Amino acid sequence: MSATRHRFFAHVANHAHLPELVTLAETVEQWWDGIETHLTTGITNAASEGNRLIKLEARNAFGFRDRENQRLRSRCTTTRRSRREAHPH
């Protein structure tokens, strides 16, 4: 276990009365293999996550009559992060 990870879990242990922090620690522990892989290799599942977001947004947009608006809505959903980074507030 890395020193930073160890310090994080020690901090959580000292603040176990905060349920949100405990939940975060549980999530980090559950996903640690993927987190560590991304930190060491830079490999991510962003492409598959983008596909999931498109499908979710298409379900939310069901009933739109204009297919172009539905396409643009899906595109906006998957590029939201890159647009936010390009125009920081």
Side-chain angles (χ1 to χ4, degrees):
M1 183 182 321
S2 71
T4 304
R5 185 174 172 214
H6 179 70
R7 281 195 314 273
F8 169 71
F9 284 114
H11 179 77
V12 171
N14 291 333
H15 297 87
H17 61 282
L18 301 171
E20 295 87 357
L21 195 56
V22 173
T23 301
L24 174 62
E26 290 168 350
T27 303
V28 168
E29 183 64 28
Q30 180 181 5
W31 289 93
W32 181 250
D33 291 339
I35 294 169
E36 185 176 39
T37 298
H38 174 69
L39 293 174
T40 57
T41 66
I43 296 172
T44 180
N45 69 340
S48 63
E49 184 68 14
N51 289 338
R52 185 190 66 78
L53 289 173
I54 288 172
K55 289 178 184 177
L56 177 64
E57 196 61 36
R59 275 188 236 114
N60 291 337
F62 184 76
F64 279 9
R65 288 183 166 79
D66 187 347
R67 293 184 62 82
E68 181 64 13
N69 284 347
Q70 189 171 7
R71 184 188 71 79
L72 289 173
R73 184 172 172 164
S74 296
R75 184 174 175 95
C76 285
T77 297
T78 57
T79 60
R80 187 173 296 142
R81 181 174 178 197
S82 62
R83 285 183 287 122
R84 185 174 44 230
E85 290 170 356
H87 304 291
H89 292 35

